[in-house]
Each structure stands twice: as C-alpha cells, then as structure tokens.
C-alpha cells in the first residue's frame, strides 16, 4: 500500500520502510526547497489548530507553500464555529469538502482518530491532547538520521514530562519501530510514562525500555541523544503539576556525565528546563530539529497527496521502492470497533466523552497486552481501558459475562457488528478509576 490518501493518526500508522521513504523524499525536497513549486499546485491544505502552535502549524504551512499549494487555516479554534458549539465531527465533515488534506491539533485524545473516521481526505494528527504527535516524531527521527547517519542501534534518553508529553509517546514508538534503544528518564516520579505506552512497546515491538534516574547516583547511559521536554502544565489538574524543573545547563550535563557527543534534542517550546546558554554548543540540535520540520512535512504532504510520484518516475532515484510500492503498516488498522449499549468512554479528556452527542462510542480489543488478565477493551479514540459487564453474541443470542473465559474468544473472533457490549452498573465508579490508574505514575520496576 502506498502513502497516497492515508491518514496519519499515530506513529503506528507508518512502518520503518515508509518512514525511510519520507526521509529520502525530505532529503530531496529539502536540498532544493524552491524547486518544487509545481508539485501541489491547485491543492488546498486545511490547518485546524484548537491548541496553540508555532512550529507545527507554520512548518506545515511553509511546506505546503514550498510545494506550490495553498493553505486554509484556523489558527485559533476559539475563532471558529467551535465557539458557537459546533462539534469537531461537523467541522471535519465541512472542511473535508474544502481541502485535499487536513492537519488537526485538538485538546481531546482521539480527536484525530475521529476526524480520520469522518474525512474523505487525509487527516494528519498534529497533536491530540496528551496522546500522540506523529509528525514531530518524523522530525525527531529525521534529525537523528541526519546527525548520526542512522537510527537503528542508537540509544536515546527521554527526559522531562513522559506522562503527558505526546511527543515522547510518539517518539518512543518511532524509536521502537526503527530499532533504536529507549531509556526513560522522567524528571520527577509524577512525570513517568503511562502504562498503556509501556504495554504497547512490549506488545507490538517486544521492547522493554531502560530507565535512568537523574541525580540518582547511576552513571548516565552511553547515549547518542538526550531528548528533553517541558512539563505539560496545561494537562495537569489545578495545582497537581510538579514544581518547575531546574534548568539543564552545562553544569547539570557535566554532573550527570552527559558526553559532548550526545545530541541535545527538544521538540520546543522550552519553558525554563533548557538553558539558552547551551544554544551555541554543537551538540545542541534543537533548532536544526525545528528547521527539519519543513522538508519532512513537504515530503509527507507530497506523498499523502500523491504528487511525488511523477518526480519519482522521472528519475529521483533514491529508494528502490516507488512510493506506491511501500508496504502497509505492520499491524492491521484498528477496525471500527464494537458497539456498546449504554457505555461511554469514562475518560474526561477523550473526544468520545466530550462529544458524546456526536460520536458513536466504539471499543476495540487491542492486539497487545492484557489477554493474560482477561479481555481489556480500549476506547477506539483515546485507547484507554474500559470495563464492561459482558457482551451479547448477536449470532447465537447468548450472553457472556465478564469473567467468562468464552468472552475473550467471542471478542477475538467476532466481527464488530456481531457483538453488543453491555455497560457495567452505572453506580459502579471503577471505570473512571481504571482510566485514571492507567495514567498513574509508574516506577522503574513496573
Ligand atoms: C510540542 C507539542 O505541541 O506537543 N510542540 C511541538 O509541536 N513542537 C511540545 C510541547 O508543546 O511541549
């Protein structure tokens, strides 16, 4: 399957071979950024931003401009009809009629999944709440590849807010897909990565990341890059965010034992945790990383719009695979999911919870993890666990309660329309607790 017409909701939508295709295309486009104005002439890109952005929106818009296309933008969701109460679902249905591709940033987890379900044109996730930010990962991996010549076999230490940092969640999956080693180094125990991310790394890639505790007495890992992030204060409940992080400067790096050869990466913006005094050091790659956003997004847009193919046929060389010959995702795209009677995703930051009047709840049995503890269904949108009382097998009319071993068999084998999930007793608040527990701080031994 080629990339033309595809949605990019998460890093898991791309294989390593497809990422390499994007990177080679970015090499080509970036080498002569003004030579491709014919590629997307006549195409429209809609950039819909319901959260603040500088780099992501402007680099997408610069990329579309450099391909000769045009941009329709909502830079501030509060200025759109969302302020009049329009749902995201309706916004996407409307904008899909105006544009050839949609870039969406939204505070709700699963917003891009919902948009992709409803849109006839490619949807690119530019950040859905704390969940994912896959095109930042493409910029991060492309920077590693440019600066180090490869990604496979590198060791990357991820530091800062690993709990709510969506760039970290996507990057960890991208590193796993590309065969790099991950070391988690949360800046505070309250900023440790969420359990679903660890389950996913283990289940899909068989990866168990390393851990390093800053100032915990252990030597800093032999790392090719240290990826720093700010605390995502806007995602914590009032007063729950940890104290401000001490700025990382040369003294801190020396104290930790970070070598001069270790690249410093940061998705930016920084909020005090990265000292500007480091900016002039050769190892500080974060502004080069931001600049790489344009060629990477040019490549992604050209491939999703299907306009790179002619250039390819005319002798770009590079990858032996033509864009349309790239292999599809290693794991089949999640199906539409099971319907449920009376069950709404309990997670308050999920798009299916917030837009419950517009979004039909759907639940999937993840291909990874959980089976040993019985079936754990996930919300199709935010991918957090939900509990059910049981499920009705529509073909036979039999009911399988939670705890019945035949329930897992039913869910694993039945088609989405063959089963109706039954919600637990509404007086039971364990759902909310289960969703929150999934994001509770983890220790290194978890
Ligand atoms: C990041 C984001 O929006 O998640 N910014 C970006 O796109 N480069 C990181 C952040 O806001 O901390």
């Amino acid at each position: 399957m080629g990339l033309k017409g595809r949605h990019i909701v998460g890093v898991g939508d791309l294989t390593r071979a497809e990422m390499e295709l994007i990177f080679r295309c970015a090499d080509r486009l970036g080498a002569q950024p003004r030579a491709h104005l014919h590629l997307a002439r006549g195409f429209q890109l809609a950039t819909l931003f319901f959260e603040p952005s500088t780099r992501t929106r402007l680099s997408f818009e610069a990329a579309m401009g450099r391909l000769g296309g045009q941009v329709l933008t909502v830079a501030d969701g509060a200025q759109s009809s969302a302020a009049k109460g329009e749902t995201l679902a309706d916004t996407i249905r409307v904008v899909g009629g105006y544009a050839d591709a949609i870039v969406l940033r939204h505070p709700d987890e699963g917003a891009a999944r919902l948009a992709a379900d409803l849109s006839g044109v490619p949807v690119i996730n530019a950040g859905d709440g704390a969940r994912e930010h896959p095109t930042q990962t493409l910029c991060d991996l492309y920077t590693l590849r440019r600066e180090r010549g490869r990604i496979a076999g590198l060791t990357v230490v991820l530091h800062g807010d690993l709990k709510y940092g969506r760039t970290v969640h996507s990057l960890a999956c991208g590193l796993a897909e590309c065969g790099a080693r991950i070391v988690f180094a949360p800046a505070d125990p309250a900023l440790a990565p969420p359990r679903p991310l660890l389950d996913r790394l283990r289940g899909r890639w068989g990866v168990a990341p390393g851990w390093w505790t800053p100032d915990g007495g252990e030597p800093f890992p032999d790392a090719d890059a240290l990826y720093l992030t700010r605390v995502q204060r806007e995602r914590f409940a009032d007063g729950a965010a940890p104290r401000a992080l001490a700025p990382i400067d040369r003294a801190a790096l020396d104290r930790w034992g970070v070598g001069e050869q270790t690249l410093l990466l940061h998705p930016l913006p920084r909020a005090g945790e990265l000292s500007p005094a480091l900016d002039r050091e050769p190892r500080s790659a974060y502004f080069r990383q931001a600049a790489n956003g344009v060629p990477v997004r040019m490549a992604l847009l050209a491939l999703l719009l299907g306009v790179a193919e002619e250039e390819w046929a005319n002798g770009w060389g590079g990858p032996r695979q033509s864009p349309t010959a790239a292999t599809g995702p290693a794991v089949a795209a999640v199906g539409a999911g099971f319907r449920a009677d009376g069950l709404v995703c309990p997670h308050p930051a999920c798009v299916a919870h917030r837009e419950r009047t517009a979004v039909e709840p759907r639940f999937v049995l993840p291909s990874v993890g959980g089976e040993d503890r019985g079936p754990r269904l996930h919300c199709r949108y935010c991918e957090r666990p939900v509990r059910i009382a049981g499920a009705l097998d529509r073909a036979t009319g039999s009911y399988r309660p939670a705890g019945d071993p035949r329930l897992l068999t039913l869910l694993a084998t039945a088609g989405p329309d063959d089963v109706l999930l039954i919600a637990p007793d509404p007086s039971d608040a364990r759902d909310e607790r289960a969703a929150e527990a999934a994001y509770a701080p983890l220790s290194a031994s978890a």
Side-chain angles (χ1 to χ4, degrees):
M1 200 186 354
L3 286 170
K4 182 177 175 179
R6 292 250 298 269
H7 303 295
I8 308 297
V9 173
V11 164
D13 291 327
L14 293 167
T15 63
R16 184 173 177 166
E18 287 166 343
M19 290 189 223
E20 182 57 24
L21 181 69
I22 293 166
F23 298 153
R24 291 195 189 204
C25 191
D27 286 342
R28 286 282 164 163
L29 295 169
Q32 289 183 293
R34 291 179 195 82
H36 309 283
L37 286 167
H38 57 293
L39 276 183
R41 188 179 297 135
F43 285 83
Q44 299 277 358
L45 176 70
T47 53
L48 306 182
F49 280 69
F50 293 84
E51 279 189 341
S53 171
T54 300
R55 275 148 294 275
T56 307
R57 186 172 66 81
L58 294 184
S59 63
F60 262 114
E61 295 183 0
M64 192 61 174
R66 293 230 184 266
L67 295 172
Q70 287 178 309
V71 174
L72 313 166
T73 193
V74 172
D76 173 5
Q79 300 298 319
S80 76
S81 286
K84 301 179 192 168
E86 185 165 54
T87 60
L88 175 65
D90 279 359
T91 304
I92 294 297
R93 288 187 184 104
V94 169
V95 175
Y98 302 159
D100 300 291
I102 297 173
V103 176
L104 175 68
R105 172 171 288 183
H106 199 278
D108 293 356
E109 296 183 20
R113 162 60 56 211
L114 174 68
D117 284 353
L118 298 171
S119 168
V121 299
V123 169
I124 304 171
N125 183 6
D128 60 334
R131 220 183 62 86
E132 279 226 41
H133 189 352
T135 68
Q136 179 63 46
T137 293
L138 292 175
C139 303
D140 302 340
L141 295 176
Y142 184 68
T143 304
L144 284 170
R145 179 181 171 278
R146 272 186 84 99
E147 307 259 342
R148 286 286 177 269
R150 68 194 163 96
I151 302 167
L154 299 183
T155 296
V156 180
V157 178
L158 300 168
H159 178 65
D161 184 350
L162 314 190
K163 173 175 174 144
Y164 288 128
R166 56 193 174 195
T167 68
V168 168
H169 303 163
S170 288
L171 179 57
C173 297
L175 290 168
E177 172 69 18
C178 292
R181 188 170 156 253
I182 303 158
V183 179
F184 286 134
D188 183 293
L191 300 174
R195 185 178 294 279
L197 176 65
L198 301 185
D199 285 348
R200 197 162 168 221
L201 291 170
R202 189 180 55 231
R204 178 157 172 181
W205 291 282
V207 162
W211 291 76
W212 181 73
T213 308
D215 295 315
E218 283 172 42
F220 186 74
D222 183 13
D224 298 280
L226 171 60
Y227 188 92
L228 305 160
T229 57
R230 73 179 172 95
V231 177
Q232 308 280 306
R233 293 199 172 274
E234 66 275 30
R235 310 218 187 276
F236 284 87
D238 285 346
R243 58 180 168 64
L245 304 181
I248 289 166
D249 53 13
R250 177 172 262 282
L253 295 175
D254 289 349
R255 190 176 70 243
W256 288 354
V258 179
E260 299 284 339
Q261 300 307 315
T262 301
L263 287 175
L264 301 179
L265 299 175
H266 194 306
L268 301 176
R270 56 183 157 188
E273 71 286 343
L274 171 58
S275 167
L278 288 168
D279 291 356
R280 279 190 299 277
E281 299 206 5
R283 61 182 163 177
S284 297
Y286 30 91
F287 290 116
R288 300 195 289 279
Q289 183 186 358
N292 286 337
V294 176
V296 166
R297 291 180 169 117
M298 284 173 82
L300 183 66
L301 289 172
L303 290 162
L304 296 185
L305 293 172
V307 297
E309 315 230 354
E310 205 178 313
E311 300 286 320
W312 229 275
N314 290 338
W316 266 10
R320 294 222 170 81
Q321 263 176 332
S322 78
T324 45
T327 51
V331 171
V334 181
F338 299 114
R339 292 196 168 82
D341 188 20
L343 183 61
V344 172
C345 177
H347 178 48
C350 175
V351 72
H353 182 95
R354 291 198 182 160
E355 296 211 350
R356 61 179 85 186
T357 55
V359 182
E360 186 190 21
R362 294 286 192 130
F363 302 92
V364 295
L365 190 64
S367 54
V368 299
E371 282 80 356
D372 49 334
R373 282 165 272 163
R376 282 196 314 166
L377 287 150
H378 286 190
C379 168
R380 167 163 169 72
Y381 299 99
C382 70
E383 297 181 339
R384 296 199 195 206
V386 290
R387 270 182 339 100
I388 56 170
L392 187 68
D393 180 344
R394 288 182 141 150
T396 62
S398 44
Y399 178 69
R400 304 281 179 231
D404 181 337
R406 290 170 298 179
L407 177 61
L408 178 58
T409 315
L410 172 67
L411 296 176
T413 53
D417 295 324
D418 304 333
V419 165
L420 184 67
L421 306 177
I422 308 297
D425 182 343
S427 64
D428 184 341
R430 272 183 296 168
D431 266 354
E432 285 79 353
R433 289 201 298 273
E436 267 321 300
Y439 271 57
L442 290 171
S443 67
S445 58

